[in-house]
Amino acid sequence: MPGDALVHRINRIQGQLEALKRIVTSGEADCVKTIELAKAASNAIKKFAQAYVETHLDQCIEEKVAVKELHGEMRKVVHSSFSL
């Protein structure tokens, strides 16, 4: 089921973020390991977003009947994806 796979990804991200939180709050952070874990969490979030879009793109397009509305929404998504 697509929803289950997405929830699994979210759970993994939550685990990575909780690990980062423990490291930062403990004051015993290994700089390299912390950066690696932060990068892994960031990549996991990107992969979740990609999987979500791939899973739900057709549904989103069907719901946005008006082309102008779809165009505006897609511009927002692209802008937010590539803005720093």
Side-chain angles (χ1 to χ4, degrees):
M1 228 183 254
D4 291 341
L6 291 172
V7 170
H8 177 73
R9 286 179 182 273
I10 291 170
N11 290 337
R12 190 171 8 169
I13 293 164
Q14 285 178 321
Q16 290 169 328
L17 293 176
E18 285 297 322
L20 275 170
K21 184 178 177 181
R22 281 191 303 274
I23 289 170
V24 171
T25 57
S26 73
E28 300 176 15
D30 175 321
C31 184
V32 173
K33 288 182 182 179
T34 304
I35 292 170
E36 287 174 346
L37 186 54
K39 181 66 175 170
S42 176
N43 286 338
I45 291 169
K46 289 177 185 177
K47 293 282 189 179
F48 166 80
Q50 179 182 353
Y52 181 84
V53 168
E54 288 174 354
T55 302
H56 292 89
L57 183 60
D58 290 336
Q59 177 185 352
C60 291
I61 290 172
E62 288 172 9
E63 289 175 0
K64 304 288 183 189
V65 178
V67 173
K68 284 187 177 185
E69 183 182 359
L70 177 62
H71 182 262
E73 294 295 320
M74 291 303 289
R75 287 184 64 80
K76 284 188 223 175
V77 169
V78 170
H79 178 73
S80 67
S81 296
F82 297 101
S83 296
L84 295 178

